[in-house]
């Protein structure tokens, strides 16, 4: 019997602003919390709630992990293979 593989994770990319936010994180606990949130979003990009807005740009979503105290604002590529993180709060 062939091995079962789970669904592929989406690749995570950061906007320039989000990349600067990541660079500013110095706490190991915050890095760990962010990593956990990024894994959740990469496994299931639809986990976040849609943010109402106009149709001029990508549909933004917001994922909040109240336990780890992390908030991500992101959008998903058309083929659902890339999650682009636009904003991070840790």
């Amino acid at each position: 019997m062939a091995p079962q593989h789970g669904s592929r994770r989406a690749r995570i990319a950061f906007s320039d602003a989000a990349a600067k936010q990541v660079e500013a994180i110095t706490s190991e606990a915050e890095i760990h919390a962010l990593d956990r949130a990024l894994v959740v979003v990469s496994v299931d990009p639809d986990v976040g709630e849609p943010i109402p807005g106009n149709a001029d740009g990508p549909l933004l979503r917001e994922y909040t992990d109240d336990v780890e105290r992390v908030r991500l604002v992101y959008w998903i590529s058309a083929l659902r293979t890339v999650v682009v993180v636009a904003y991070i709060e840790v």
Side-chain angles (χ1 to χ4, degrees):
M1 179 177 245
Q4 294 276 335
H5 294 285
S7 60
R8 289 187 56 162
R9 286 185 185 181
R11 187 172 59 90
I12 298 290
F14 295 102
S15 68
D16 290 342
K20 288 178 185 177
Q21 290 173 301
V22 170
E23 289 174 8
I25 297 173
T26 58
S27 162
E28 286 291 325
E30 289 179 345
I31 291 169
H32 178 72
L34 176 59
D35 284 345
R36 287 177 47 100
L38 292 172
V39 167
V40 169
V41 171
S42 72
V43 170
D44 182 8
D46 293 317
V47 71
E49 297 294 322
I51 298 174
N54 61 31
D56 291 340
L59 174 64
L60 293 176
R61 300 185 72 84
E62 176 181 32
Y63 170 72
T64 303
D65 183 331
D66 293 326
V67 174
E68 295 285 351
R69 296 174 48 194
V70 175
R71 178 176 170 243
L72 302 175
V73 175
Y74 64 97
W75 70 89
I76 308 165
S77 68
L79 297 177
R80 310 193 69 66
T81 58
V82 179
V83 171
V84 180
V85 177
Y87 175 79
I88 298 167
E89 280 181 14
V90 181

